[in-house]
Amino acid sequence: MELESRNLFIDTQYLFSKGFNFESNEITSLIDLAAKGSIQVFMTDITNLEIVKKIKEQVQLAFFKINNSDSRILKSLPLYRKFLAVYSEEKSINALVSQYELFKTKCRITIISSGGIKFMQVFHDYVNEKPPFNSSSGKNRKAEFPDAFALATIKNWVKTNNTKAYLLSGDSDWQQFADNRHFFHLNELTAFIDILIRHEASLQDMTSFADQLIGIKKDKIEKHILQALKNRTYIGFASKREVEIQEHYIIAAQLSEKDILSVGRDGAIYQMQFLVTAVFKYWMLNFIFHGEERLFKGLEQEIVFLKHEFTISVDMTFSFKDAIPGSFKIVRDQAPATIEVAFEDGQALSLDDWALTLPVIVCGVSSGKLTENGTGSQHFHSFDEAVKVFPDLDIYHAGKRFTRALGNKISDDLRFETWKANDLYSS
């Protein structure tokens, strides 16, 4: 992406999608770039009022859910009552609005007035179904008037100043409006910040060094994220059935994209995209219906294994003091604590096929032979490799010499034990 302009207009939708978190890495970086004069940030007065209104609505909704959902049982806990006393609805609104006002000040945001926009100018777009009145997403066209006035304000400002601008919004209406030579649409901020940093002459050497280090340390970064993802919680969801992820095995996490968010002589922060390959063991509850009238017949439980590929974004902080490659450290990763997985996106996988890809440990053996006292072990890259040495290994059934794969678990190893080893570990 080329840098087309240093003017950026922010829409309500963007801050709402980020949970009004004004301390995220991308917002912090935006503030830093704006303070240096690398970018000019704008809002319309309509957007400014909408953001305050949205903050109030979301806080009120959150407290409504606290008071009317199962979480109200927590009010019996003293610390929870103390939390609600400190962060009451009014105080929470004031705190978030104050953070928003501070963000505007730090980011040097210029508020553009919509006072010069005439109603008939906007109404003409409404009649002719021009953006934002041409949405096919089922929106009420009359509800788009605030966006229409905001976009008309931006259009007039760009024309008056004979310039161009980026529009930051995930709203499809803003994207359609930006589809001309004066405007450039941004769904996310990170890629734009990356371009800005790379166009700063004072940062180019440090950015180049950081990029080279990331390339050299790619394997280390991927291994770090792989381990981090093994310790995360995974929640499965499906559209037509009830599912639950019982076990997970993260096979790989490959770095696919990276955007630099900040850089200095001692370190850098990147937002990185990882392509994750994983296998999940699902407990599944099926609702069984009979005949054309779909009469309810009963419930059926099932265990299935599915292979998934999905992408996650992780902000990662690195240090490399005095620009010495050997000092490279991963300071922090912000991989999500909970990851949702769509059941329908998985690929069916039999346990036999899955086992062929798993490393295997056989306990109670040494150099291809059983030991007398049950000690010793051998590792194999896969089950297929292990049965070449010990042909009587069986995933599902115990044999005369070996247990079955213990627990039938998804783990880093399929584990088999000789009976003497089994007695040893049991005791």
Side-chain angles (χ1 to χ4, degrees):
M1 183 171 72
E2 293 295 325
L3 182 62
E4 303 285 353
S5 170
R6 292 184 182 270
N7 301 318
L8 175 69
F9 279 86
I10 298 180
D11 180 27
T12 307
Q13 185 280 335
Y14 170 75
L15 292 177
F16 172 69
S17 70
K18 301 301 177 182
F20 299 106
N21 178 11
F22 300 105
E23 297 181 353
S24 67
N25 289 323
E26 58 193 85
I27 290 295
T28 301
S29 182
L30 178 67
I31 290 171
D32 183 58
L33 290 166
K36 292 177 180 177
S38 301
I39 183 175
Q40 290 182 290
V41 186
F42 302 89
M43 283 183 188
T44 68
D45 52 359
I46 293 172
T47 299
N48 182 46
L49 292 173
E50 272 192 328
I51 289 171
V52 175
K53 178 174 178 287
K54 203 68 171 178
I55 288 173
K56 291 179 180 178
E57 289 176 350
Q58 290 303 302
V59 171
Q60 289 168 352
L61 177 61
F63 273 85
F64 174 80
K65 290 185 176 181
I66 287 173
N67 293 320
N68 293 277
S69 69
D70 292 341
S71 67
R72 63 180 179 270
I73 193 175
L74 298 177
K75 290 183 177 180
S76 62
L77 303 175
L79 285 176
Y80 191 72
R81 291 200 303 271
K82 183 178 180 180
F83 167 81
L84 292 178
V86 174
Y87 294 97
S88 65
E89 182 176 311
E90 182 180 357
K91 290 179 180 177
S92 297
I93 290 173
N94 291 338
L96 278 174
V97 171
S98 295
Q99 289 178 27
Y100 168 57
E101 295 296 335
L102 183 61
F103 160 68
K104 288 193 296 181
T105 301
K106 287 183 175 180
C107 213
R108 300 181 179 181
I109 292 179
T110 301
I111 305 298
I112 307 298
S113 172
S114 59
I117 304 302
K118 296 180 180 180
F119 176 77
M120 287 306 297
Q121 176 184 343
V122 174
F123 189 72
H124 180 270
D125 290 340
Y126 172 77
V127 171
N128 290 281
E129 297 187 357
K130 293 182 178 180
F133 298 112
N134 63 336
S135 174
S136 59
S137 60
K139 294 180 181 178
N140 179 358
R141 287 203 300 141
K142 293 180 181 179
E144 297 302 308
F145 271 96
D147 267 356
F149 273 91
L151 291 171
T153 301
I154 296 171
K155 184 177 181 180
N156 279 11
W157 181 88
V158 166
K159 184 177 181 181
T160 301
N161 291 275
N162 190 28
T163 187
K164 300 177 181 181
Y166 285 92
L167 306 184
L168 177 60
S169 174
D171 193 321
S172 59
D173 297 327
W174 282 57
Q175 182 175 358
Q176 292 178 40
F177 179 84
D179 190 21
N180 65 62
R181 61 190 179 90
H182 296 293
F183 300 103
F184 308 93
H185 179 256
L186 296 171
N187 268 317
E188 295 291 343
L189 187 56
T190 51
F192 182 55
I193 290 174
D194 180 273
I195 294 298
L196 281 170
I197 289 176
R198 296 181 189 282
H199 276 76
E200 288 297 306
S202 62
L203 300 178
Q204 285 178 357
D205 286 345
M206 290 181 285
T207 301
S208 176
F209 179 77
D211 283 344
Q212 289 178 43
L213 269 182
I214 295 301
I216 295 170
K217 301 295 184 178
K218 181 173 178 287
D219 287 347
K220 181 177 181 178
I221 294 168
E222 291 178 341
K223 287 178 181 178
H224 176 92
I225 292 300
L226 180 64
Q227 186 58 45
L229 293 178
K230 289 179 179 180
N231 299 322
R232 294 309 192 256
T233 298
Y234 295 87
I235 299 175
F237 65 92
S239 58
K240 296 182 180 179
R241 65 191 78 196
E242 184 178 345
V243 300
E244 176 184 307
I245 292 176
Q246 292 188 329
E247 299 170 22
H248 63 268
Y249 182 80
I250 311 303
I251 300 172
Q254 295 178 306
L255 177 60
S256 56
E257 294 182 25
K258 65 182 189 302
D259 292 317
I260 195 164
L261 298 180
S262 69
V263 64
R265 296 196 176 277
D266 293 335
I269 300 175
Y270 282 80
Q271 183 174 99
M272 296 183 154
Q273 304 285 330
F274 291 90
L275 177 61
V276 181
T277 305
V279 172
F280 295 100
K281 178 183 176 182
Y282 288 91
W283 170 86
M284 185 169 62
L285 184 63
N286 294 319
F287 299 87
I288 303 172
F289 298 93
H290 181 69
E292 293 183 0
E293 297 180 355
R294 292 186 59 77
L295 298 174
F296 179 69
K297 188 177 179 180
L299 300 173
E300 179 184 65
Q301 298 184 60
E302 187 179 357
I303 298 294
V304 296
F305 292 84
L306 298 184
K307 183 178 180 180
H308 286 260
E309 287 190 347
F310 55 90
T311 301
I312 63 165
S313 296
V314 182
D315 284 7
M316 299 193 70
T317 304
F318 307 100
S319 69
F320 34 85
K321 293 182 180 179
D322 301 319
I324 300 172
S327 67
F328 177 87
K329 290 182 180 178
I330 299 172
V331 178
R332 183 172 63 159
D333 74 76
Q334 293 176 263
T338 302
I339 299 172
E340 293 189 345
V341 181
F343 176 85
E344 285 85 358
D345 291 341
Q347 177 185 354
L349 189 70
S350 73
L351 190 57
D352 290 326
D353 292 336
W354 165 233
L356 293 177
T357 69
L358 275 178
V360 169
I361 181 171
V362 182
C363 298
V365 300
S366 178
S367 302
K369 296 181 180 180
L370 278 65
T371 59
E372 290 294 330
N373 57 4
T375 60
S377 64
Q378 283 187 249
H379 285 80
F380 300 91
H381 291 300
S382 67
F383 179 74
D384 194 35
E385 182 181 304
V387 295
K388 292 177 182 177
V389 179
F390 302 108
D392 48 340
L393 292 178
D394 190 309
I395 295 173
Y396 300 100
H397 304 99
K400 292 181 179 180
R401 299 201 302 167
F402 297 100
T403 63
R404 64 180 174 84
L406 290 178
N408 197 23
K409 297 274 187 181
I410 294 179
S411 62
D412 288 341
D413 297 297
L414 277 181
R415 183 184 181 91
F416 298 88
E417 296 176 2
T418 64
W419 292 110
K420 287 187 178 181
N422 187 265
D423 291 339
L424 181 65
Y425 293 132
S426 298
S427 61

